[in-house]
Amino acid sequence: MRWRDRRQSTNVDDRRAQTGASPMGSARLPSLGTILFLWPLVKRLLRSKAGLAILAVGAFIWLGSSLNPGSLTGGDRYAATSSAQEDELAAFVKTVLADTEEVWADVFADAGLRYPPPTLVLYRGATTSGCGKADSRMGPFYCPVDQKVYVDLGFFEDLRREQGAGGDFAQAYVLAHEIGHHVQNLAGTLNEVQRAQQRLRGDAQKNQLQVGLELQADCYAGVWANHAQRQFAMLEPGDLEEALTAAAAIGDDRLQKQAQGFAIPHTFTHGTSKQRVTWFARGVKDGTLAACNTFEN
């Protein structure tokens, strides 16, 4: 995907420094209870040279097991490399976000409407959102309460390593899908579906409506790709295949079969691999919101 030397969005709340590991790695001081329990023994050891030696060895062993060895030598090359790679990925994601802002602003303007863009929150591990706790295990998600998209950049490496869905346009598809939920929120679709779910008793019917939401967000991601290609000429050979692979990789049927060996269709909440691929491809081909009515059936 051609993305370098283009505008990066400033609608970004970068919390990675707040949620990253501390400079001391995983080292922690002993608890107060542990100190009080060991103090009588420590007190005796402090009275002799042999005792002092024992304490020194114990302290060295504790530090060696707790600290990152690279930090003791004045430079953890792996951490530096990872940070550079992550910053590159952050720049890419900001560029894709800027593309979504321009595309959806034009689409809304054509309908006589204004498009208020969402904020992208980058974090590590965990953070807070208007919808509750955000945890990296949840994957990227959109919170309609604060109109923010939450992304732990480590998700993209998991997507590549665990699901075989690598490539920059696969990453762009994931972000565009979450922006699709923002479009649904602005259009009132999220509220309509939530009210409809509240009127239903069975989980299967509620899940079916949720699947409709997710597939429509896939289709909206395709609509974005259609307009972005015309506007920025960003696609390179193999890019669409990367997105289609990612869409197939995160289908409910595939994920359930990987986790438990079989799929339970009435529990699906995001759609099958085939459905996700089909609706993304439909958005790419047609390029209109009208093509994304996933609730008609």
Side-chain angles (χ1 to χ4, degrees), residues 1-290:
M1 177 179 170
R2 303 180 189 92
W3 65 274
R4 298 183 187 280
D5 302 319
R6 293 204 281 115
R7 183 179 76 87
Q8 296 181 17
S9 175
T10 57
N11 293 311
V12 177
D13 179 5
D14 194 339
R15 304 180 188 175
R16 289 178 294 160
Q18 301 174 23
T19 51
S22 69
M24 292 295 288
S26 59
R28 292 194 181 106
L29 292 175
S31 67
L32 179 60
T34 301
I35 293 174
L36 292 175
F37 177 78
L38 294 176
W39 176 243
L41 175 61
V42 172
K43 190 175 180 181
R44 289 196 203 101
L45 292 174
L46 288 172
R47 294 172 182 169
S48 66
K49 291 183 179 180
L52 289 172
I54 292 173
L55 289 175
V57 170
F60 180 81
I61 293 173
W62 176 78
L63 285 171
S65 65
S66 301
L67 291 176
N68 183 343
S71 66
L72 299 178
T73 62
D76 187 338
R77 293 184 61 187
Y78 178 78
T81 303
S82 297
S83 177
Q85 291 174 344
E86 189 179 77
D87 287 342
E88 170 108 342
L89 181 54
F92 168 76
V93 170
K94 292 175 184 178
T95 303
V96 174
L97 182 62
D99 288 355
T100 67
E101 292 167 353
E102 295 187 34
V103 165
W104 287 113
D106 289 345
V107 172
F108 273 58
D110 289 343
L113 301 171
R114 186 181 69 87
Y115 175 72
T119 297
L120 172 65
V121 178
L122 300 177
Y123 71 99
R124 287 195 190 100
T127 189
T128 56
S129 79
C131 298
K133 182 179 179 181
D135 190 290
S136 59
R137 291 169 295 183
M138 300 164 59
F141 71 93
Y142 172 72
C143 174
V145 176
D146 56 18
Q147 298 192 7
K148 295 180 180 180
V149 173
Y150 291 81
V151 177
D152 183 325
L153 294 175
F155 169 82
F156 296 120
E157 173 59 22
D158 293 339
L159 185 66
R160 181 195 67 79
R161 186 180 64 252
E162 298 177 11
Q163 303 302 331
D168 50 13
F169 202 67
Q171 299 161 358
Y173 153 74
V174 171
L175 180 60
H177 171 93
E178 298 307 328
I179 300 301
H181 286 311
H182 180 61
V183 174
Q184 291 174 322
N185 188 34
L186 297 177
T189 309
L190 292 184
N191 285 333
E192 290 178 12
V193 169
Q194 185 178 29
R195 288 195 296 268
Q197 288 175 322
Q198 290 172 347
R199 293 193 296 267
L200 296 172
R201 293 184 180 180
D203 288 340
Q205 291 177 301
K206 294 179 181 179
N207 289 341
Q208 188 174 6
L209 287 175
Q210 188 63 37
V211 167
L213 272 181
E214 298 299 334
L215 295 179
Q216 187 176 70
D218 281 334
C219 188
Y220 285 173
V223 171
W224 163 77
N226 175 296
H227 287 257
Q229 171 62 8
R230 284 187 281 162
Q231 189 167 346
F232 307 114
M234 62 180 185
L235 293 179
E236 296 177 314
D239 279 345
L240 284 178
E241 287 76 12
E242 289 175 358
L244 292 170
T245 298
I250 52 181
D252 284 326
D253 54 338
R254 174 170 175 169
L255 294 177
Q256 287 191 4
K257 288 177 182 177
Q258 286 180 338
Q260 60 194 23
F262 56 91
I264 309 175
H266 70 268
T267 65
F268 292 171
T269 58
H270 286 67
T272 66
S273 295
K274 182 178 179 180
Q275 287 175 318
R276 302 200 70 167
V277 166
T278 297
W279 281 102
F280 174 73
R282 182 176 298 186
V284 172
K285 180 180 179 180
D286 193 274
T288 66
L289 298 182

